[in-house]
């Protein structure tokens, strides 16, 4: 015969096991869609090189001052600029520098583009626009009468360029097969077929 304490322990153990089982059977939350690096992707290395140049300039100036030498690169530039009067020749580079600075700020804070499309179902799987283009061109190449095919894709549109043998029905068949291949996407993009006859 079990005591009340043993009964409570058994119930607690069963409740804990039931909670673990329900957590184990619950589906995981899908990962967020990946985004591109944005425009700052190519500006980052450029800014790094510019900062490295500034570091070299300041480092040389510090080295010269620690060794008691009077002239440095930075000092020479400042001495050359000393005494210059305001002029249009200086205003133009200053305006260009301000515009470049504003463009860099806009690029740094601009929204990154999404380049992925979600597949149907609750799996959280996705394809990038490059994968979608490969899928579309691969489907087009399987159609009878297609000699060559290439594709480009965005999240909203897929453009397929095909070279055909000249059969008039080939374009429609390519359109149907590409749309069938992309039907696995939750929000399939619009498909445009550009066909030309092989010369």
């Amino acid at each position: 015969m079990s005591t009340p304490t043993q009964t409570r322990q058994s119930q607690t153990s069963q409740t804990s096991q039931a909670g673990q089982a329900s957590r184990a059977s619950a589906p995981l939350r899908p990962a967020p869609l990946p985004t591109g690096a944005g425009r700052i992707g190519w500006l980052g290395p450029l800014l790094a090189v510019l900062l490295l140049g500034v570091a070299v300039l300041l480092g040389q100036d510090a080295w010269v001052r620690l060794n008691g030498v009077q002239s440095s690169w930075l000092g020479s530039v400042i001495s050359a600029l000393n005494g210059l009067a305001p002029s249009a020749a200086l205003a133009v580079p200053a305006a260009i520098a301000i515009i470049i600075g504003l463009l860099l700020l806009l690029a740094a804070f601009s929204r990154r583009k999404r380049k992925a499309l979600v597949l149907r179902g609750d799996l959280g799987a996705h394809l990038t626009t490059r994968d979608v283009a490969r899928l579309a061109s691969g489907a087009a190449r399987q159609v009878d009468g297609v000699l060559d095919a290439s594709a480009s894709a965005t999240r909203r549109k897929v453009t397929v360029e095909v070279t055909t043998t000249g059969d008039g029905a080939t374009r429609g068949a390519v359109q149907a097969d590409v749309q069938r291949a992309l039907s696995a996407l939750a929000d399939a993009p619009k498909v445009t077929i550009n066909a030309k006859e092989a010369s």
Side-chain angles (χ1 to χ4, degrees):
M1 182 175 180
S2 62
T3 63
T5 302
Q6 291 174 336
T7 303
R8 278 196 300 273
Q9 289 176 347
S10 175
Q11 290 173 347
T12 303
S13 175
Q14 290 174 354
T15 304
S16 172
Q17 290 174 357
Q20 291 175 355
S22 65
R23 283 194 298 271
S25 62
L28 295 175
R29 187 178 58 185
L33 290 177
T35 56
R39 296 180 204 164
I40 200 65
W42 64 270
L43 289 174
L46 176 62
L47 293 177
V49 171
L50 292 176
L51 286 176
L52 184 61
V54 171
V56 168
L57 183 66
L58 295 177
Q60 193 269 346
D61 186 70
W63 177 263
V64 165
R65 290 179 187 274
L66 286 174
N67 289 330
V69 183
Q70 294 301 318
S71 65
S72 68
W73 298 337
L74 186 60
S76 300
V77 172
I78 293 174
S79 298
L81 294 175
N82 190 21
L84 286 177
S87 67
L90 293 178
V92 171
I96 291 173
I98 291 171
I99 292 171
I100 290 174
L102 291 174
L103 290 175
L104 290 175
L105 280 175
L106 289 174
F109 290 104
S110 64
R111 185 171 179 172
R112 296 184 296 172
K113 292 182 179 179
R114 293 193 178 274
K115 294 187 176 181
L117 291 95
V118 180
L119 291 169
R120 292 184 185 277
D122 297 326
L123 301 175
H126 60 269
L127 294 177
T128 64
T129 52
R130 183 179 297 178
D131 295 331
V132 171
R134 289 174 181 164
L135 181 63
S137 61
R141 287 190 192 99
Q142 301 301 315
V143 177
D144 290 339
V146 173
L147 301 176
D148 191 24
S150 62
S152 60
T154 64
R155 296 184 71 222
R156 299 283 174 243
K157 184 178 179 181
V158 174
T159 303
V160 183
E161 306 280 344
V162 293
T163 304
T164 70
T165 56
D167 187 355
T170 303
R171 180 174 179 170
V174 171
Q175 178 91 24
D177 277 21
V178 171
Q179 286 178 338
R180 190 179 307 113
L182 300 182
S183 64
L185 297 169
D187 188 13
K190 179 184 176 183
V191 177
T192 301
I193 307 297
N194 296 327
K196 65 179 181 179
E197 186 177 346
S199 55

